Amino acid sequence: NTTQLQNLSFTEMSNIRIVVICMIMGLLVLVGILFSIFLLSPLLVGFRRFLLNAAKGGGSLNDLLFPFKNNYKNITLTLFMKNLYIFLWSLPGYIPLIVAFTVFNLPQRLTMLITQIRQDSVSALLTLMLITTVLLVATIVFSIPSIIKDLQYSMVQYILADNPDEDWKTAIKNSKEMMVGNKWAYVKLMFSFLGWQLLANLVCCIGNFLIAPYIESTYAQMYIEVSGQRDEYQEQQFGGNDFFSSFGTF
């Protein structure tokens, strides 16, 4: 009886530890979400404000606090709705994983294949590669709607940096209109920095801090182009119509 009580007590303690760990992890996730919504996202809008003012020949560190002094509530709500929409559109991307785990019992199949691979089974290795490839391709295909929405909403932060009083529906609508015919150009622009980013990662990511201002400034120049405000801004060495003409029609 004493042994049973000790085992029971040990089991209860283990369950309590699991519950406590889950609660702590859940609290950390909640804190991270709140931090992103109420602090990080507005700061990023402030950074966009700084970039736009810098394109006019100005720019100040006070621009980073711009969202907290100018309709903070509207900016926070707009960014929350934007991220919520993207999240909802990303849900179809989980369909292949759900089907693989529930219908095809993927974990058990993978365990069997790994066991066979350890026994030098070439066919098992090829099967594993095929399953991985199919699952990856299916996930990418089902994620296309969220990728498109992410591109459509990519100008929302700049719109808020320009006009913090614009409500979330109008900001999202205007961003979608700006990106009509420009989504592919935006994708090519992102890929144009791939070489620099790979090179930056070779120096323990320190290089990212060096190239990030250039990359973000170029995205700001794209907003200036698609919003039709080029005449209001100074031509920058890294921007301008000639630069973006190679990425698409603006």
Side-chain angles (χ1 to χ4, degrees):
N1 291 335
T2 304
T3 303
Q4 291 178 349
L5 289 174
Q6 289 177 347
N7 291 335
L8 180 61
S9 177
F10 178 78
T11 302
E12 290 177 349
M13 289 298 295
S14 298
N15 292 336
I16 292 174
R17 289 172 182 168
I18 293 174
V19 171
V20 171
I21 291 174
C22 290
M23 291 178 62
I24 293 175
M25 292 180 63
L27 180 62
L28 291 175
V29 170
L30 178 61
V31 170
I33 293 174
L34 294 177
F35 174 79
S36 176
I37 293 174
F38 295 106
L39 184 61
L40 182 59
S41 293
L43 280 175
L44 290 176
V45 173
F47 181 56
R48 267 62 180 179
R49 176 81 175 186
F50 169 79
L51 293 174
L52 294 178
N53 285 336
K56 291 180 179 179
S60 164
L61 291 179
N62 290 329
D63 293 329
L64 298 177
L65 301 178
F66 172 82
F68 301 98
K69 302 177 182 179
N70 297 270
N71 210 338
Y72 170 77
K73 181 179 179 180
N74 180 67
I75 291 175
T76 303
L77 176 62
T78 301
L79 295 176
F80 174 78
M81 295 304 299
K82 169 205 166 187
N83 293 328
L84 178 62
Y85 276 13
I86 293 176
F87 170 74
L88 293 176
W89 279 100
S90 71
L91 293 179
Y94 295 98
I95 292 178
L97 288 174
I98 295 173
V99 172
F101 274 78
T102 58
V103 178
F104 297 102
N105 196 9
L106 184 61
Q108 183 178 354
R109 292 177 180 271
L110 291 178
T111 301
M112 294 173 56
L113 288 172
I114 292 173
T115 302
Q116 294 175 9
I117 292 173
R118 289 175 178 173
Q119 299 173 355
D120 297 330
S121 175
V122 177
S123 60
L125 177 60
L126 294 176
T127 303
L128 179 61
M129 293 174 61
L130 177 61
I131 292 175
T132 304
T133 303
V134 171
L135 188 60
L136 178 61
V137 171
T139 301
I140 293 175
V141 170
F142 278 84
S143 298
I144 289 177
S146 67
I147 295 174
I148 293 175
K149 290 301 175 181
D150 197 12
L151 293 172
Q152 288 180 333
Y153 303 159
S154 60
M155 296 294 119
V156 169
Q157 289 183 335
Y158 293 100
I159 291 173
L160 292 174
D162 244 354
N163 184 11
D165 297 323
E166 197 160 282
D167 65 275
W168 68 270
K169 291 183 179 179
T170 305
I172 290 176
K173 175 177 174 290
N174 289 341
S175 180
K176 291 170 65 176
E177 291 177 352
M178 289 180 188
M179 294 305 292
V180 171
N182 295 318
K183 289 185 285 294
W184 179 237
Y186 188 76
V187 171
K188 290 191 290 184
L189 183 59
M190 287 191 295
F191 276 102
S192 70
F193 299 121
L194 185 59
W196 287 102
Q197 291 169 333
L198 291 175
L199 184 62
N201 289 327
L202 294 178
V203 287
C204 301
C205 301
I206 298 176
N208 285 320
F209 292 100
L210 301 177
I211 65 172
Y214 170 78
I215 294 175
E216 294 299 331
S217 297
T218 308
Y219 288 140
Q221 291 293 316
M222 179 175 183
Y223 167 75
I224 294 171
E225 291 287 345
V226 299
S227 62
Q229 302 183 61
R230 170 55 60 194
D231 294 338
E232 301 177 17
Y233 289 81
Q234 297 178 0
E235 292 289 343
Q236 302 296 307
Q237 187 176 0
F238 49 77
N241 294 324
D242 293 338
F243 177 84
F244 286 111
S245 64
S246 61
F247 292 99
T249 303
F250 289 83

